[in-house]
Amino acid sequence: SATSSVTIIKPITITNVRDLVFGSIVSSTTSDVVVTLTAAETPSVTATGFGVNEGDPLSVTGDTRTSAQFDITGDANKTFSIVHDATVTMAGPGASMTVTLSKNLNNSGNALSLVGAATLYMGGSFTIPANQTEGLYTGTFDVTVAYE
């Protein structure tokens, strides 16, 4: 004879807590500006490539700049993988800009904590073309998680 058994575990879930926000950035009239926001709880933002006499493109102070944050929950100590879009296209009144996304966790081999939780932060890098039209540019990207 044999015994039959099953262990039921919590489903793994991912919840968007905050969005990826680069804030207000001054475009250059003479050159492309590369903007990078790190994938961290408190991200750092850098901008390079602006003209010598144009000042700092990040000079708008008090602006909100956040990495995207996702809370992941499931069964304690289980490992999981992450699949996300590699890029997101931000469209607006001018030329679209493509953000190459980054994250603080690995594609696979991540472990939920003793209480079944993990936090994913996502940042990215993109280029603002010279003389970019002012206005709001937005896009969406997908992130999924699965047990391994």
Side-chain angles (χ1 to χ4, degrees):
S1 73
T3 301
S4 175
S5 67
V6 63
T7 301
I8 306 298
I9 63 172
K10 296 178 195 174
I12 190 167
T13 62
I14 185 167
T15 305
N16 176 256
V17 176
R18 69 178 185 215
D19 292 324
L20 176 56
V21 179
F22 291 94
S24 297
I25 300 172
V26 180
S27 72
S28 170
T29 58
T30 60
S31 58
D32 294 350
V33 175
V34 178
V35 178
T36 302
L37 186 142
T38 59
E41 181 177 5
T42 305
S44 62
V45 182
T46 58
T48 59
F50 46 95
V52 175
N53 297 319
E54 293 183 307
D56 182 358
L58 301 175
S59 63
V60 179
T61 58
D63 228 26
T64 299
R65 302 180 200 279
T66 62
S67 58
Q69 179 183 338
F70 298 90
D71 286 347
I72 302 164
T73 58
D75 210 48
N77 298 316
K78 296 290 189 220
T79 60
F80 65 95
S81 61
I82 301 167
V83 175
H84 65 84
D85 295 337
T87 62
V88 56
T89 300
M90 296 189 299
S96 293
M97 296 172 285
T98 300
V99 177
T100 300
L101 296 169
S102 61
K103 63 184 176 301
N104 68 315
L105 299 176
N106 298 315
N107 289 335
S108 61
N110 304 292
L112 293 168
S113 70
L114 292 172
V115 295
T119 302
L120 170 66
Y121 296 104
M122 296 192 69
S125 180
F126 70 102
T127 300
I128 301 172
N131 292 310
Q132 178 68 305
T133 304
E134 66 183 78
L136 178 64
Y137 292 77
T138 62
T140 59
F141 59 94
D142 292 319
V143 182
T144 59
V145 293
Y147 286 120
E148 296 179 319

